[in-house]
Amino acid sequence: MSYSKIKSHAKINLALNVVGKSKYLHKIESIVSFLDLHDEIKIRKINSKNHKIIFVGKFCRGIKSNNTISKLLENIDKKKLLKNKFQIIVKKNVPSKAGLGGGSMNAASIINFFVKKKLIKLKKKRIIELSHSIGSDVVLGLYSKNLILKPNNKIKVLSSKKKFYTLIVKPSFGCSTKKIYSKVKEFKKPIFYSTSNIFSLKLLKNMKNDLEKITLNEYPSLKILKNFLENLSNIDFVRMTGSGSAIIGYFSSVRKCKDAQKKVKKQFRNYWCMTSKT
């Protein structure tokens, strides 16, 4: 049987506020968008007793056998939602431990594929519950649109078609989400109530990622990187996504973005540096 091919887009947090903590997880609100940058997933039915998952590509090294996709398939099999077994090949173009949600978006993309092809039949509420059983970020990938994640885990999809050209820069190391969140000591009040004009450049410039200060203090080389990006000409603003380690520069044109990429590659030769757009 031939493969079906799907894209799993990287997610970015344009702003992120930590507003509290439940028993197990921190409560956040975030403005989220998605990039053209994506992993490539191939799926097909196989005649086997077990699913088969294969990772290839630049960022496949270090992915454990217990991952978001294996966890998803295990949960689906426990609920007996699938009649067949599948082989899944993932070409990893999105780096891990970068704050780009690579693994979570893989799981979300596969859920969407199964639902679209009517291979699993669940109501929306159950689909969301399934995504939460894999990881807190997975639900974002079910939408893959500009959205606001609210502290109660509700999602508001935004009608804004605002586009940014982005320069994503990641050092050779990744950041532990668990470690970064463990150092959060202060909480903010939720502010993302109004969705009108929330993607305006003026508003976004004045927003923050509450995890950024903690991460930059833990990894001084990231602070150096961010300062370099902020001093580039023609850059709109700079912000870390998620808990890092990727730092993203936002530009109004592809030319400005490409010019900045050349300067970053010259200064940070061992860093991964990629242009994309929302």
Side-chain angles (χ1 to χ4, degrees), residues 165 251-259 275:
Y165 295 94
F251 297 84
S252 59
S253 77
V254 65
R255 180 186 60 79
K256 293 175 183 177
C257 195
K258 292 286 187 182
D259 287 346
T275 60

Side-chain angles (χ1 to χ4, degrees), residues 28-44:
I28 68 169
E29 61 173 4
S30 183
I31 302 173
V32 177
S33 190
F34 293 83
L35 298 175
D36 272 356
L37 173 66
H38 61 273
D39 290 335
E40 301 165 53
I41 302 177
K42 297 196 296 185
I43 306 177
R44 70 174 181 180

Side-chain angles (χ1 to χ4, degrees), residues 184-200:
V184 175
K185 304 301 179 185
E186 298 178 355
F187 305 122
K188 286 184 178 177
K189 292 182 178 180
I191 59 172
F192 299 150
Y193 292 116
S194 173
T195 60
S196 62
N197 211 29
I198 203 165
F199 268 82
S200 75

Side-chain angles (χ1 to χ4, degrees), residues 166-211:
T166 58
L167 179 61
I168 313 128
V169 190
K170 182 191 177 297
S172 56
F173 60 85
C175 294
S176 165
T177 299
K178 184 177 180 180
K179 178 182 179 181
I180 300 303
Y181 271 102
S182 71
K183 295 182 179 294
V184 175
K185 304 301 179 185
E186 298 178 355
F187 305 122
K188 286 184 178 177
K189 292 182 178 180
I191 59 172
F192 299 150
Y193 292 116
S194 173
T195 60
S196 62
N197 211 29
I198 203 165
F199 268 82
S200 75
L201 185 57
K202 184 178 179 180
L203 283 177
L204 287 172
K205 279 184 175 181
N206 291 321
M207 293 177 184
K208 294 182 179 181
N209 176 346
D210 283 350
L211 303 176

Side-chain angles (χ1 to χ4, degrees), residues 23-276:
K23 187 175 180 181
Y24 300 106
L25 294 172
H26 284 81
K27 296 179 180 180
I28 68 169
E29 61 173 4
S30 183
I31 302 173
V32 177
S33 190
F34 293 83
L35 298 175
D36 272 356
L37 173 66
H38 61 273
D39 290 335
E40 301 165 53
I41 302 177
K42 297 196 296 185
I43 306 177
R44 70 174 181 180
K45 293 179 184 178
I46 54 174
N47 184 17
S48 174
K49 292 182 179 180
N50 300 301
H51 299 290
K52 294 182 180 179
I53 307 168
I54 301 169
F55 292 98
V56 299
K58 184 173 183 178
F59 297 107
C60 69
R61 295 180 69 179
I63 298 177
K64 298 178 180 179
S65 58
N66 181 24
N67 52 71
T68 54
I69 297 177
S70 66
K71 189 174 180 181
L72 169 64
L73 295 175
E74 182 181 341
N75 286 8
I76 286 175
D77 285 347
K78 282 182 180 178
K79 299 177 186 295
K80 298 181 179 179
L81 297 175
L82 282 174
K83 294 180 180 179
N84 302 95
K85 301 299 180 183
F86 288 83
Q87 181 179 64
I88 299 176
I89 302 175
V90 185
K91 184 180 180 183
K92 295 298 294 182
N93 302 314
V94 179
S96 60
K97 294 187 177 180
L100 297 168
S104 295
M105 299 309 104
N106 289 169
S109 299
I110 293 168
I111 292 173
N112 281 341
F113 171 81
F114 286 149
V115 171
K116 183 179 179 180
K117 296 296 183 179
K118 298 182 180 179
L119 297 169
I120 61 174
K121 297 178 182 179
L122 291 173
K123 293 184 178 179
K124 184 176 180 180
K125 182 180 178 181
R126 299 303 179 197
I127 294 170
I128 292 173
E129 287 175 356
L130 175 62
S131 72
H132 283 311
S133 73
I134 310 305
S136 58
D137 269 1
V138 176
V139 66
L140 304 176
L142 299 179
Y143 299 86
S144 290
K145 296 179 180 179
N146 292 336
L147 57 87
I148 293 177
L149 172 65
K150 298 186 177 182
N152 60 0
N153 285 324
K154 298 293 184 181
I155 287 179
K156 173 67 176 178
V157 176
L158 303 176
S159 58
S160 171
K161 301 297 183 182
K162 177 73 175 180
K163 297 288 185 182
F164 286 103
Y165 295 94
T166 58
L167 179 61
I168 313 128
V169 190
K170 182 191 177 297
S172 56
F173 60 85
C175 294
S176 165
T177 299
K178 184 177 180 180
K179 178 182 179 181
I180 300 303
Y181 271 102
S182 71
K183 295 182 179 294
V184 175
K185 304 301 179 185
E186 298 178 355
F187 305 122
K188 286 184 178 177
K189 292 182 178 180
I191 59 172
F192 299 150
Y193 292 116
S194 173
T195 60
S196 62
N197 211 29
I198 203 165
F199 268 82
S200 75
L201 185 57
K202 184 178 179 180
L203 283 177
L204 287 172
K205 279 184 175 181
N206 291 321
M207 293 177 184
K208 294 182 179 181
N209 176 346
D210 283 350
L211 303 176
E212 189 174 288
K213 184 177 180 180
I214 296 169
T215 306
L216 297 189
N217 286 336
E218 285 291 312
Y219 303 94
S221 57
L222 284 180
K223 189 179 293 186
I224 294 170
L225 170 61
K226 190 188 178 195
N227 288 338
F228 181 86
L229 290 172
E230 287 178 328
N231 286 316
L232 291 172
S233 59
N234 297 319
I235 195 164
D236 289 332
F237 66 99
V238 180
R239 191 152 298 141
M240 185 181 80
T241 180
S243 56
S245 59
I247 307 288
I248 299 179
Y250 294 84
F251 297 84
S252 59
S253 77
V254 65
R255 180 186 60 79
K256 293 175 183 177
C257 195
K258 292 286 187 182
D259 287 346
Q261 183 186 31
K262 292 176 184 177
K263 294 176 182 178
V264 171
K265 283 188 171 183
K266 186 176 180 180
Q267 184 70 22
F268 301 92
R269 295 181 183 276
N270 296 323
Y271 286 17
W272 178 78
C273 182
M274 174 69 70
T275 60
S276 187

